[in-house]
Amino acid sequence: MAKKGGDKRTKRQLAPAFWDIKRKEGQFIVRTNPGGHSKTKSYPLGVFLRDVIKVVTTMNESEKVLNQSKVKVDGVTRYDVNYPVGLMDIVELQGTESQLYRLVPKDSRILSFIDIDQSEKSLKLLKIKTKHLVSNNIIQYGFHDGKTMLSDRNYNVGDTVVFDIENKKIIEEIKIEPNTLSLIISGENAGIQGKINEVKQGTFSIPRRVVLNLESRSVELPTDMIMAIGKESPVIKVN
C-alpha cells in the first residue's frame, strides 16, 4: 500500500540554520507541520521543548508532556510535537508554577526565547501582512503568525498591533513611521532595536524601506525585516 501523508522528519543537516540543535546527534529530527509560521522561520514544538528550553530530554518525553495537556501556545493547548512555533508566540508550561516564554529574535538568531511575566501572557505583537475589504467597512486582516480577524478599523499593512489573545481584540496600533522603535527580525542584525529615521516608499521593483538608527550606525532595510515595537520603549518585553 502506498504511503499516505508527508514525512514528519527531516535530516538534521538540512534543518534551518537557527535551530539550536546538535547536528551530528542522529540523522533525523522532527519537522514542522504546515501552519501559521513558515517552516524556515519556526520550531517544531517538540524540538523547542527538548533542545531550546530543555525542559525534557527526549522526544518521547515531549510527547508525554503534550499529551498531558501541559503546554499552551498563545493560550491554546497543543498536543502535536510537529506544531510550528514562531515569532512572538507565547509558550506556556503548566504545572505547580506556570512558566512563560516568548519567541523573539536574539543575538543574530531569528528565533530564541525570553521569560515573560504573567501580566503579559495574553499580550502579543502581530505584524499585519494582508488586508482585504470584505463588505462595506469591514476589513479582514492577516497577521504574520497566520491569525486573521475582521475589523471596522483601518490599519496599514506592515504596521504592528498589540493583540489581546484572551479577548481576541486589538489594543493598540504601532505605525512604521519616523521615531518609532523597531526590532530587526531577520538577517545578521536580528534582535537589534533601533529608531526609524526615515521611511522610503517602494516602487514596482523596490520594496518599501526604512533607515534605522542603531547605536553606532544606520542601516537601510526592507520593512519586511523589521517589526515596530513602540515609541520610546517596547510596549511589551521583547528582549
Side-chain angles (χ1 to χ4, degrees):
M1 182 178 289
K3 182 179 178 180
K4 295 183 178 179
D7 197 336
K8 292 185 178 293
R9 305 175 302 166
T10 187
K11 289 186 176 180
R12 284 177 176 262
Q13 298 294 338
L14 299 179
F18 69 87
W19 282 22
D20 189 10
I21 61 174
K22 295 178 180 178
R23 302 280 165 171
K24 297 182 179 179
E25 191 175 276
Q27 185 177 5
F28 295 99
I29 192 168
V30 297
R31 62 182 296 177
T32 54
N33 281 341
H37 294 284
S38 163
K39 66 181 181 181
T40 61
K41 296 181 180 180
S42 61
Y43 271 111
L45 185 53
V47 172
F48 180 76
L49 296 176
R50 183 190 65 185
D51 298 280
V52 183
I53 59 175
K54 296 180 172 63
V55 294
V56 296
T57 56
T58 67
M59 195 55 62
N60 283 338
E61 289 180 6
S62 286
E63 291 178 344
K64 288 180 181 178
V65 169
L66 291 170
N67 288 333
Q68 292 170 2
S69 304
K70 290 186 176 181
V71 180
K72 289 184 176 182
V73 179
D74 288 350
V76 179
T77 303
R78 299 297 179 183
Y79 300 94
D80 186 2
V81 294
N82 299 91
Y83 182 81
V85 290
L87 181 66
M88 295 298 166
D89 282 355
I90 299 167
V91 179
E92 179 181 2
L93 306 183
Q94 297 179 298
T96 52
E97 290 186 8
S98 293
Q99 298 169 266
L100 289 164
Y101 305 94
R102 176 176 288 124
L103 280 82
V104 296
K106 186 178 180 182
D107 299 330
S108 298
R109 288 181 178 269
I110 66 170
L111 277 185
S112 186
F113 72 94
I114 56 173
D115 301 299
I116 62 173
D117 296 330
Q118 288 287 332
S119 60
E120 291 193 356
K121 66 179 292 185
S122 64
L123 297 179
K124 181 177 181 179
L125 295 180
L126 296 176
K127 187 178 176 73
I128 301 173
K129 303 295 286 186
T130 62
K131 61 184 291 189
H132 302 286
L133 183 64
V134 177
S135 62
N136 297 328
N137 294 323
I138 303 300
I139 301 173
Q140 177 175 297
Y141 293 96
F143 303 107
H144 78 271
D145 66 347
K147 289 183 176 64
T148 61
M149 73 169 295
L150 298 175
S151 175
D152 59 359
R153 299 281 301 276
N154 189 21
Y155 304 110
N156 295 320
V157 171
D159 291 347
T160 301
V161 295
V162 183
F163 191 72
D164 183 336
I165 297 170
E166 186 176 346
N167 297 304
K168 295 181 173 56
K169 66 178 183 179
I170 292 174
I171 298 175
E172 179 183 351
E173 180 188 18
I174 310 170
K175 293 179 176 293
I176 290 182
E177 60 186 8
N179 296 318
T180 294
L181 185 64
S182 296
L183 177 69
I184 300 176
I185 58 176
S186 63
E188 63 182 15
N189 294 310
I192 297 177
Q193 299 177 24
K195 281 282 188 77
I196 295 176
N197 182 53
E198 181 184 357
V199 180
K200 297 183 177 182
Q201 298 305 317
T203 64
F204 180 77
S205 58
I206 301 175
R208 187 180 180 216
R209 302 159 334 277
V210 296
V211 176
L212 208 62
N213 289 336
L214 307 183
E215 289 185 354
S216 57
R217 58 198 170 97
S218 294
V219 295
E220 184 174 314
L221 298 170
T223 55
D224 282 349
M225 293 182 65
I226 68 163
M227 174 179 275
I229 57 174
K231 283 296 184 181
E232 296 304 319
S233 62
V235 293
I236 60 175
K237 184 179 178 181
V238 294
N239 60 7

